[in-house]
Amino acid sequence: MEINGVYIEDTFAEAFPIWVSRVLITAATKRLAKIAATEATGFGCSVIMCPAEAGIEKYVPPTKTPDGRPGFIIEICHPKKSELEKQLLERLGQCVLTAPTTAVFDAMGEDAEEHVKVGFKLKFFGDGYEKKDKLGDRTVYRIPIMGGEFIVEDKFGIKKGVAGGNFFIMADSNMTALVAAEAAVNAIRSVEKVITPFPGGIVASGSKVGASNPKYKFMTATTNHKMCPTLRDVVEDSEVPEDVNGVYEIVIDGVDEESVKKAMKVGILAATTVKGVKKITAGNYGGKLGKYQIKLRELFE
Amino acid sequence: MEINGVYIEDTFAEAFPIWVSRVLITAATKRLAKIAATEATGFGCSVIMCPAEAGIEKYVPPTKTPDGRPGFIIEICHPKKSELEKQLLERLGQCVLTAPTTAVFDAMGEDAEEHVKVGFKLKFFGDGYEKKDKLGDRTVYRIPIMGGEFIVEDKFGIKKGVAGGNFFIMADSNMTALVAAEAAVNAIRSVEKVITPFPGGIVASGSKVGASNPKYKFMTATTNHKMCPTLRDVVEDSEVPEDVNGVYEIVIDGVDEESVKKAMKVGILAATTVKGVKKITAGNYGGKLGKYQIKLRELFE
Amino acid sequence: MEINGVYIEDTFAEAFPIWVSRVLITAATKRLAKIAATEATGFGCSVIMCPAEAGIEKYVPPTKTPDGRPGFIIEICHPKKSELEKQLLERLGQCVLTAPTTAVFDAMGEDAEEHVKVGFKLKFFGDGYEKKDKLGDRTVYRIPIMGGEFIVEDKFGIKKGVAGGNFFIMADSNMTALVAAEAAVNAIRSVEKVITPFPGGIVASGSKVGASNPKYKFMTATTNHKMCPTLRDVVEDSEVPEDVNGVYEIVIDGVDEESVKKAMKVGILAATTVKGVKKITAGNYGGKLGKYQIKLRELFE
Amino acid sequence: MEINGVYIEDTFAEAFPIWVSRVLITAATKRLAKIAATEATGFGCSVIMCPAEAGIEKYVPPTKTPDGRPGFIIEICHPKKSELEKQLLERLGQCVLTAPTTAVFDAMGEDAEEHVKVGFKLKFFGDGYEKKDKLGDRTVYRIPIMGGEFIVEDKFGIKKGVAGGNFFIMADSNMTALVAAEAAVNAIRSVEKVITPFPGGIVASGSKVGASNPKYKFMTATTNHKMCPTLRDVVEDSEVPEDVNGVYEIVIDGVDEESVKKAMKVGILAATTVKGVKKITAGNYGGKLGKYQIKLRELFE
């Protein structure tokens, strides 16, 4: 199968369950909301070594938020429910409560499978001066701070979502692949309920499980040598085509499989608009590890 | 003492020792370097609940970097040396190694008191395909990745620096105080060897040790009720003047006390240029807890 | 009438007819599209001394553009039809054709009252090497350039729109008024078919027709002294209330009156969410000059 | 000659005299200063069809400005002195005076050859309420506006500078050339007294004088067909090497020849750090038109 002249490999992305939260951060201005959202989702690429997977999902204009102010929806994800609750407390408590003019609301809404009492716990910061209140249908706490009042919703919905949706972009030059990856991320940002947790949404250093080098057996993950252009003539099992000199991966986490699929579809389409992209493929473990198998070609049927 | 008509309180900021690292992240373009630096320093406000204190110190143009590419110097700090090394491994390994086109170099240079073998450990990601090399005087590893090659310096210098340099900006309105805080952060960004680790460099929710509410004794920190404008007429020990309706704090970490002092000085000066700022003060624990006491008025003598 | 505790004056904004064009600029990435859109709409605040009124209306994701790439819709406006065509030629020819990876499409669509042959004229830059082509239903020219190929649509729709929709935000401090103005602009950006042509969407220096100073009779416009907080106690006809220390104006141009009204409504609402805003009013010439009279209170009925 | 493996052609950039102004715009925050500087320098690529050539030169931190606030230095250029004065009046009067919290100072300083009375003329906007004052050594006017007070210096220095310093980046793919061009612009931004007036600093559509197509003789400039990769196999006089698929030009204006040379040098160096760049060349008219001939190879001797 080809799209815009780019070969789509007949393979699948292998993805995994993960607990997902979806949080709306509002502030006096869009820029102030973004500062808080960026800090709260930083150091959040992969739970291999980061304490969570996190990212900004989308901007919400003032006309669509509970308090009439601009906001950003972020997602914070972790395989363990207890760790997700801890991350929510820490990231909202340290990176949003401290950020000028912010308020925090649940954005999982009716998709929630369970709830965690994040606002209920953060309210203790108020030292008894906080007030329980209603904002529309929402139960919130109003906590007095130096910068006025911090509003946080009582409970936040969480659900079992999907981690590790992915595809790889292979192109004639490293920079072609990189720009195509950025185009893919641009497109994915128009899809609801998904994030691309890596820096700028892009993975430059794909990994494989374990190590092939016998001296490095202590490593749980090492470079995906089959996908490294500079190793094409060095390793025997390279999967980098002759005309490819750059490879980037897009990793997608989301609230549900449908959203992740939609994100993969629009991301791949956008990548193919950049001239010089040669091939789109995806990462899997032979179907042995993950619950979800998202076949690239079926996305376009 | 008054500066530009703003009252400078006769008090001091109480600061603490912390282990500091100083790292240069370069990339193909300034924007790509900033993406990596932002991700690597996120979720890094205060070690109360964040795994490190971290921030972007300054931009370095291509003419001044080891590889002739644009870069940003970040600082990552932790009270414990072992935790700092762990944070460096995790943040550089997950947030920079994965970011497109990046390289990472030591920026502590001759200020270093000790070194941690971060590059030496990250190199194992190369699965044996990595190469040890020299770049100028620096020992680096070249690790093959999908996006080409990731270069990381062998060792990174660390030293005992200073955490918690601070001052408070009090103004006629909340927004005056906020804009003055942003002006202060703008000024501090021109000072070398310091960071302002909170979101946008600003703290909206200052805290005190423990709780005054007897039911909340389990809390290690709660809102600094004396500094909350909305509690001025509620609490008996308010320190918010009658004409003040907004208070923000700037917190500064740095490589040494001199740099933190310089940052406080230029930050306070910048804050006083915003009309409506009434008073500058600072946070301390009566001098009982911190090693450093930085007196505000002495900064201007 | 009060909204969120802010007094809405019983007055109207007086607006004028203007010729409007609506142009979609796409590029390989969102960022590249924004660079072109920003350059093309610069020096475009007011036709009093700028060659056009221009601004970015909204972002369009790759899934919604003719070429599957991210884009921004801009509007360029001028009272004279011939000048508008000239501005389109100059701004698209100099600021978009020269910008990396861009393409330009009509975004006025069925709202158009007339068409100008901008693409037809720009194509001559191709020196005969350009090709006429179809992209979906659109007639386009493909012009070879150093950076590949520049695609421009044959004709662009224009129509008689509305210029000078406006409201004023008055607040306790200058910075409160400014942040409220930014919040208003954030909200207006979610409304289709309108722009806020001034820097950052905000006017800091409102003007009146002519001069009151007899020595300055040669001036066609001077500072609106009635609205200057620093002149409250200097001039006899000040309209700045005692509790107001900052005033900013939002000016809105748009494709039609309905869109301008919607923008004014959401902008005013957003401004009232910022604590310290005291009053919203609007600018008019007693109804003597403009075709449109948009009454503030009717927006909320 | 090769630099970092990139061939530097033995040719020269042909540049021209132009009148240059250098203006410092300060504001309450760096971001507000940038908004004004961006608006004031928009629609300012080339005087072929733009009313001026303009760009942001550099950021100046609060510690280095006359009013202790952050600022940006911009340059506005025009071949005719009278037009430059007109552009200064229009751009500062419409795009900076209207922008929140700004002030404007001369930044040409002792380099000035002549002065234009821009502040003296803008002051009439004050309708007699303005005040003449001193700020340090500078004569300024304080003009009351809705957003407080606009400060503008009396006179601005201008001088005969250099327009059209340039070089071309040729690379294996379009995107490699584009990223290298961005790296070059990043580097040039660290050089004082120069700007890169095109969108993002980059020219995607180089032009030649006149047209080669006899039907297009009415055109004063058309696409530089010799440099278009898509025309390599179409035209007989192509100068695009076989291994090149993307070409971008960097155009530099500056206060003096030395600064333009320095900018070309650091820009070329930065471009060569991007893998896949093949060749650097420059644009000239055989030395017949321009006053300045800047030889590429001499930059590196």
Side-chain angles (χ1 to χ4, degrees):
Chain A
M1 176 189 268
E2 284 197 359
I3 296 177
N4 290 329
V6 177
Y7 179 73
I8 311 296
E9 192 157 36
D10 187 12
T11 187
F12 61 94
E14 194 167 346
F16 301 82
I18 196 165
W19 283 98
V20 181
S21 61
R22 196 167 178 252
V23 174
L24 171 66
I25 300 169
T26 65
T29 65
K30 181 179 182 181
R31 189 179 63 96
L32 289 167
K34 189 158 197 186
I35 286 171
T38 301
E39 184 73 34
T41 56
F43 189 29
C45 302
S46 158
V47 286
I48 295 178
M49 295 212 300
C50 292
E53 301 186 4
I56 294 175
E57 180 196 308
K58 71 163 184 172
Y59 170 61
V60 186
T63 48
K64 302 275 180 65
T65 60
D67 60 0
R69 307 190 308 162
F72 284 89
I73 291 178
I74 65 169
E75 294 179 24
I76 301 175
C77 315
H78 201 285
K80 290 186 192 168
K81 193 166 35 167
S82 59
E83 280 299 310
L84 176 57
E85 182 173 358
K86 187 162 169 280
Q87 282 292 305
L88 277 166
L89 273 170
E90 291 178 359
R91 289 176 181 260
L92 301 186
Q94 288 274 293
C95 307
V96 186
L97 167 59
T98 64
T101 79
T102 52
V104 189
F105 303 98
D106 173 63
M108 187 59 90
E110 302 198 344
D111 289 333
E113 295 171 355
E114 301 192 21
H115 287 85
V116 289
K117 294 186 170 186
V118 171
F120 179 83
K121 291 180 181 172
L122 282 179
K123 79 161 193 291
F124 294 115
F125 183 77
D127 197 16
Y129 299 108
E130 74 279 3
K131 304 283 183 201
K132 194 173 182 175
D133 198 2
K134 280 279 180 184
L135 193 73
D137 287 341
R138 297 168 189 262
T139 300
V140 300
Y141 292 95
R142 296 177 178 275
I143 303 173
I145 58 173
M146 298 191 314
E149 195 178 61
F150 177 70
I151 295 176
V152 58
E153 192 158 351
D154 185 28
K155 295 175 190 171
F156 287 78
I158 61 172
K159 87 179 279 288
K160 268 276 170 73
V162 176
N166 72 79
F167 58 93
F168 291 72
I169 299 164
M170 305 178 116
D172 59 358
S173 77
N174 190 354
M175 292 304 127
T176 301
L178 179 51
V179 174
E182 190 177 336
V185 172
N186 290 159
I188 291 169
R189 279 293 289 269
S190 69
V191 177
E192 298 219 322
K193 302 188 182 177
V194 296
I195 57 167
T196 51
F198 280 84
I202 301 169
V203 189
S205 60
S207 57
K208 64 176 177 285
V209 176
S212 55
N213 188 322
K215 292 181 190 166
Y216 288 16
K217 286 301 179 200
F218 56 91
M219 294 293 286
T220 52
T222 58
T223 193
N224 188 351
H225 64 274
K226 298 178 186 177
M227 292 295 247
C228 294
T230 61
L231 297 180
R232 182 171 44 210
D233 301 330
V234 176
V235 302
E236 291 189 353
D237 51 354
S238 178
E239 294 175 359
V240 180
E242 274 304 310
D243 57 355
V244 165
N245 291 298
V247 181
Y248 288 92
E249 182 185 0
I250 307 294
V251 170
I252 301 158
D253 290 353
V255 168
D256 52 46
E257 192 184 1
E258 277 319 295
S259 302
V260 172
K261 279 183 174 173
K262 193 174 171 194
M264 286 174 60
K265 181 178 179 179
V266 303
I268 290 169
L269 267 176
T272 65
T273 65
V274 178
K275 202 177 162 183
V277 173
K278 299 295 182 183
K279 180 177 168 178
I280 303 291
T281 183
N284 62 57
Y285 309 90
K288 283 174 282 186
L289 297 180
K291 179 179 170 186
Y292 304 97
Q293 297 184 12
I294 304 174
K295 293 182 183 168
L296 295 188
R297 294 186 176 179
E298 286 185 0
L299 296 172
F300 298 95
E301 282 168 5
Chain B
M1 177 188 266
E2 285 196 359
I3 296 177
N4 290 329
V6 177
Y7 179 73
I8 311 295
E9 192 156 36
D10 187 13
T11 187
F12 61 94
E14 194 167 349
F16 301 82
I18 197 166
W19 283 98
V20 180
S21 61
R22 197 167 177 253
V23 174
L24 171 66
I25 301 169
T26 65
T29 65
K30 182 180 182 181
R31 189 179 62 96
L32 290 167
K34 188 157 198 186
I35 287 171
T38 301
E39 183 74 34
T41 57
F43 189 30
C45 303
S46 158
V47 286
I48 294 178
M49 295 212 300
C50 292
E53 301 186 5
I56 294 175
E57 179 195 310
K58 72 163 184 171
Y59 170 62
V60 186
T63 48
K64 301 276 181 63
T65 60
D67 60 0
R69 306 191 308 162
F72 284 88
I73 291 178
I74 65 170
E75 294 180 25
I76 301 175
C77 314
H78 201 284
K80 291 185 192 168
K81 192 165 36 167
S82 58
E83 280 299 310
L84 176 56
E85 181 173 359
K86 186 162 170 280
Q87 281 293 304
L88 277 166
L89 272 171
E90 290 178 358
R91 288 176 182 259
L92 302 186
Q94 288 273 293
C95 307
V96 186
L97 167 59
T98 65
T101 79
T102 53
V104 188
F105 303 98
D106 174 62
M108 188 59 89
E110 301 199 345
D111 288 332
E113 295 171 355
E114 301 192 22
H115 287 86
V116 290
K117 294 187 170 184
V118 171
F120 180 83
K121 290 180 181 173
L122 282 179
K123 78 162 193 289
F124 294 115
F125 183 76
D127 197 15
Y129 299 109
E130 74 279 4
K131 304 283 182 202
K132 194 173 182 175
D133 198 3
K134 280 279 181 184
L135 192 74
D137 287 342
R138 297 168 188 262
T139 300
V140 300
Y141 292 94
R142 297 177 177 273
I143 303 173
I145 59 172
M146 298 191 314
E149 195 178 63
F150 176 70
I151 295 177
V152 58
E153 191 157 351
D154 185 28
K155 294 175 189 170
F156 287 78
I158 61 173
K159 88 178 277 289
K160 268 274 168 78
V162 177
N166 71 79
F167 59 93
F168 291 71
I169 300 164
M170 305 177 117
D172 59 357
S173 77
N174 191 353
M175 292 303 128
T176 301
L178 179 51
V179 174
E182 189 176 336
V185 172
N186 291 159
I188 291 169
R189 279 292 290 270
S190 69
V191 178
E192 299 219 321
K193 302 188 182 177
V194 297
I195 57 168
T196 51
F198 280 84
I202 301 169
V203 188
S205 59
S207 57
K208 64 176 177 284
V209 176
S212 56
N213 188 322
K215 292 183 190 163
Y216 289 16
K217 285 300 179 200
F218 55 92
M219 293 293 285
T220 53
T222 59
T223 193
N224 188 350
H225 64 274
K226 298 179 188 177
M227 293 294 246
C228 294
T230 61
L231 297 180
R232 182 171 43 209
D233 301 330
V234 177
V235 302
E236 291 188 355
D237 50 354
S238 179
E239 296 175 359
V240 180
E242 274 304 310
D243 57 354
V244 164
N245 291 297
V247 181
Y248 289 92
E249 182 185 0
I250 307 293
V251 171
I252 301 158
D253 290 353
V255 168
D256 52 45
E257 192 184 0
E258 277 319 295
S259 302
V260 172
K261 280 182 175 174
K262 193 174 171 192
M264 286 174 59
K265 181 179 180 179
V266 303
I268 290 169
L269 267 177
T272 65
T273 65
V274 177
K275 202 178 163 182
V277 173
K278 299 295 182 184
K279 179 177 169 178
I280 304 290
T281 183
N284 61 58
Y285 308 91
K288 284 174 279 184
L289 297 179
K291 179 179 171 186
Y292 304 97
Q293 298 184 11
I294 305 174
K295 294 183 183 167
L296 294 188
R297 295 186 176 179
E298 286 185 1
L299 296 172
F300 299 96
E301 282 169 5
Chain C
M1 176 189 267
E2 285 198 357
I3 296 177
N4 291 328
V6 177
Y7 178 73
I8 311 296
E9 192 158 33
D10 187 12
T11 187
F12 61 92
E14 193 167 348
F16 300 82
I18 197 166
W19 282 98
V20 181
S21 61
R22 197 167 177 251
V23 175
L24 171 66
I25 301 169
T26 65
T29 65
K30 181 179 182 180
R31 190 178 62 95
L32 290 166
K34 189 157 197 185
I35 287 171
T38 301
E39 184 74 34
T41 57
F43 189 31
C45 303
S46 159
V47 286
I48 294 178
M49 294 212 300
C50 293
E53 301 187 5
I56 294 176
E57 178 194 310
K58 71 164 186 171
Y59 170 62
V60 186
T63 48
K64 302 275 179 64
T65 60
D67 60 359
R69 306 191 308 162
F72 284 88
I73 290 178
I74 64 169
E75 294 180 25
I76 300 175
C77 313
H78 201 285
K80 291 186 192 168
K81 194 165 38 167
S82 59
E83 280 299 310
L84 176 57
E85 182 173 359
K86 186 160 169 281
Q87 281 291 305
L88 277 166
L89 271 171
E90 290 178 359
R91 288 175 182 260
L92 301 186
Q94 287 273 293
C95 306
V96 186
L97 167 59
T98 64
T101 79
T102 52
V104 189
F105 303 99
D106 173 62
M108 188 59 89
E110 302 200 343
D111 289 332
E113 296 171 356
E114 300 192 22
H115 286 85
V116 289
K117 293 186 170 186
V118 171
F120 180 82
K121 291 179 181 172
L122 282 179
K123 78 161 194 289
F124 295 114
F125 183 77
D127 197 15
Y129 299 109
E130 73 279 4
K131 303 284 182 201
K132 194 172 182 177
D133 197 3
K134 281 278 181 185
L135 192 73
D137 286 342
R138 297 167 189 263
T139 300
V140 299
Y141 291 95
R142 297 177 177 275
I143 303 173
I145 57 172
M146 297 191 315
E149 195 178 62
F150 176 70
I151 294 176
V152 58
E153 191 158 350
D154 185 27
K155 295 175 190 170
F156 286 79
I158 61 173
K159 89 179 276 290
K160 268 272 170 77
V162 177
N166 71 78
F167 59 92
F168 291 71
I169 300 164
M170 306 178 115
D172 59 357
S173 77
N174 191 352
M175 292 304 128
T176 301
L178 179 51
V179 174
E182 189 177 337
V185 172
N186 291 160
I188 291 168
R189 279 293 290 269
S190 69
V191 177
E192 298 218 323
K193 302 188 182 177
V194 296
I195 57 167
T196 51
F198 279 84
I202 301 169
V203 188
S205 58
S207 56
K208 62 174 177 286
V209 176
S212 55
N213 189 323
K215 294 182 189 163
Y216 290 15
K217 285 301 178 200
F218 55 92
M219 294 292 287
T220 53
T222 58
T223 192
N224 188 349
H225 63 274
K226 299 180 187 177
M227 293 295 245
C228 294
T230 62
L231 298 181
R232 183 171 42 209
D233 302 329
V234 176
V235 302
E236 291 190 353
D237 51 353
S238 179
E239 295 175 359
V240 180
E242 274 304 311
D243 57 354
V244 165
N245 292 297
V247 182
Y248 288 92
E249 182 185 1
I250 307 294
V251 171
I252 300 158
D253 290 353
V255 168
D256 52 47
E257 192 184 1
E258 277 319 295
S259 302
V260 171
K261 280 183 176 175
K262 193 174 172 193
M264 286 174 59
K265 181 178 180 177
V266 303
I268 291 169
L269 268 176
T272 65
T273 65
V274 177
K275 203 177 162 181
V277 174
K278 299 295 182 185
K279 179 176 168 179
I280 303 291
T281 184
N284 62 59
Y285 308 90
K288 284 174 279 185
L289 299 179
K291 177 178 171 188
Y292 304 99
Q293 297 184 11
I294 305 175
K295 295 184 183 166
L296 294 188
R297 293 187 177 177
E298 285 185 0
L299 296 172
F300 299 95
E301 280 167 5
Chain D
M1 177 191 266
E2 284 197 357
I3 295 177
N4 290 328
V6 177
Y7 179 74
I8 311 295
E9 192 157 33
D10 187 11
T11 187
F12 61 93
E14 194 167 348
F16 301 81
I18 196 165
W19 283 99
V20 180
S21 61
R22 196 167 178 251
V23 175
L24 170 66
I25 301 168
T26 65
T29 64
K30 181 180 182 180
R31 190 178 63 93
L32 290 167
K34 189 158 198 186
I35 286 171
T38 301
E39 184 74 34
T41 56
F43 189 31
C45 303
S46 160
V47 286
I48 294 178
M49 294 211 301
C50 293
E53 302 187 4
I56 295 175
E57 179 195 309
K58 72 164 184 172
Y59 170 62
V60 186
T63 48
K64 302 275 180 64
T65 60
D67 60 0
R69 307 189 309 160
F72 284 88
I73 291 178
I74 65 169
E75 294 179 24
I76 300 175
C77 314
H78 201 284
K80 292 185 191 169
K81 194 165 36 168
S82 58
E83 280 299 310
L84 176 57
E85 183 174 357
K86 187 162 169 281
Q87 283 292 304
L88 277 166
L89 272 171
E90 290 178 358
R91 289 175 182 260
L92 301 186
Q94 288 272 292
C95 307
V96 187
L97 166 60
T98 65
T101 79
T102 52
V104 189
F105 303 98
D106 173 62
M108 187 60 89
E110 302 199 343
D111 288 332
E113 296 171 355
E114 302 190 21
H115 286 85
V116 290
K117 294 186 170 185
V118 172
F120 180 82
K121 291 181 181 172
L122 281 179
K123 78 162 193 289
F124 295 114
F125 183 77
D127 197 14
Y129 299 109
E130 73 279 3
K131 304 283 182 203
K132 194 171 182 177
D133 198 3
K134 281 277 179 184
L135 193 73
D137 287 341
R138 297 168 189 261
T139 299
V140 299
Y141 292 96
R142 297 178 178 274
I143 303 173
I145 58 172
M146 298 191 313
E149 195 178 61
F150 177 70
I151 295 175
V152 58
E153 192 158 350
D154 185 28
K155 295 176 190 170
F156 287 78
I158 61 173
K159 90 180 275 289
K160 267 273 169 77
V162 178
N166 72 78
F167 58 93
F168 291 72
I169 300 164
M170 307 177 114
D172 58 357
S173 77
N174 190 352
M175 292 304 127
T176 301
L178 179 52
V179 173
E182 190 177 336
V185 172
N186 291 159
I188 291 167
R189 279 292 290 268
S190 69
V191 178
E192 298 217 324
K193 302 187 183 178
V194 296
I195 56 167
T196 50
F198 280 85
I202 301 169
V203 188
S205 58
S207 58
K208 63 175 177 286
V209 176
S212 55
N213 189 323
K215 294 181 189 163
Y216 289 16
K217 285 300 178 200
F218 55 91
M219 294 291 287
T220 53
T222 59
T223 193
N224 188 349
H225 64 274
K226 297 179 188 178
M227 292 297 244
C228 294
T230 62
L231 297 181
R232 182 171 43 211
D233 301 330
V234 176
V235 302
E236 290 190 355
D237 51 354
S238 178
E239 294 175 0
V240 180
E242 274 304 310
D243 56 354
V244 165
N245 292 297
V247 181
Y248 288 92
E249 182 185 1
I250 307 294
V251 170
I252 300 158
D253 290 355
V255 168
D256 53 45
E257 192 183 1
E258 277 319 295
S259 302
V260 172
K261 279 182 176 174
K262 193 174 171 192
M264 286 175 61
K265 181 179 179 178
V266 302
I268 290 169
L269 268 176
T272 65
T273 65
V274 177
K275 203 178 163 183
V277 173
K278 299 295 182 185
K279 180 177 169 178
I280 303 291
T281 184
N284 62 58
Y285 308 90
K288 283 174 280 185
L289 299 179
K291 177 179 172 187
Y292 304 98
Q293 297 184 11
I294 305 174
K295 295 182 183 167
L296 295 188
R297 293 186 178 179
E298 286 184 0
L299 296 172
F300 299 95
E301 281 169 4

